[in-house]
Amino acid sequence: MADENNTGPIVSAVGTPSELKTSAAKTQRSPRRQKTAAEPLRAVSKSTAAKLPNAKPRRYSEQERIEKLKGIETQVTEAKGTLKDAIKGAGISEQTYYQWKRTVKLQREEKLNSAGDELADLVQLEA
């Protein structure tokens, strides 16, 4: 039987410190590959830009919005097609069409209200 009280050299059973350092040393890794350079973007036509999922949304000026709305309205009133066809022909979505239509309507109402206020002020000044 082994003597439990014997606390002999523990280091000999585990190993010397120099042996531990060599086994714990990290292995060399090969260097990482460099990322490839991004390809320059090429010009994209409007028809393919609408098909791309990451296409940047187009911002229209107020004048362009009004012109597109008038064009859609004339196509529908001349019975050249349905409202949906006219909207697609203009190159915008239905949601955009209705949002633009709502904002134009609100702007017209604000102009009428401001003109009415000015008229009321003028009548009051004359009195």
Side-chain angles (χ1 to χ4, degrees):
M1 282 210 176
D3 188 14
E4 293 178 9
N5 293 333
N6 188 0
T7 58
I10 297 173
V11 175
S12 63
V14 174
T16 61
S18 62
E19 291 174 0
L20 290 175
K21 287 182 182 177
T22 57
S23 65
K26 292 184 178 180
T27 58
Q28 291 291 328
R29 291 192 294 184
S30 60
R32 291 184 179 180
R33 292 185 303 159
Q34 292 195 2
K35 295 181 179 179
T36 58
E39 294 180 13
L41 295 177
R42 53 192 156 111
V44 180
S45 66
K46 287 185 179 180
S47 61
T48 57
K51 295 176 185 176
L52 295 175
N54 295 334
K56 186 176 179 180
R58 168 93 161 84
R59 302 285 181 181
Y60 293 97
S61 68
E62 192 66 31
Q63 186 63 30
E64 289 175 323
R65 290 178 183 185
I66 293 170
E67 289 174 5
K68 284 192 180 275
L69 289 174
K70 286 181 181 177
I72 292 170
E73 189 174 328
T74 55
Q75 284 183 357
V76 172
T77 55
E78 293 175 359
K80 290 185 179 178
T82 62
L83 178 63
K84 288 185 178 186
D85 293 337
I87 291 171
K88 286 184 181 181
I92 58 173
S93 67
E94 286 186 54
Q95 292 86 0
T96 303
Y97 168 74
Y98 287 112
Q99 287 175 352
W100 288 359
K101 191 173 177 182
R102 183 183 62 206
T103 56
V104 168
K105 181 180 177 184
L106 291 175
Q107 289 173 353
R108 285 182 186 160
E109 288 176 1
E110 288 176 5
K111 286 181 183 179
L112 291 175
N113 289 340
S114 65
D117 292 339
E118 290 175 3
L119 184 61
D121 291 341
L122 182 62
V123 168
Q124 188 179 20
L125 286 173
E126 287 179 355

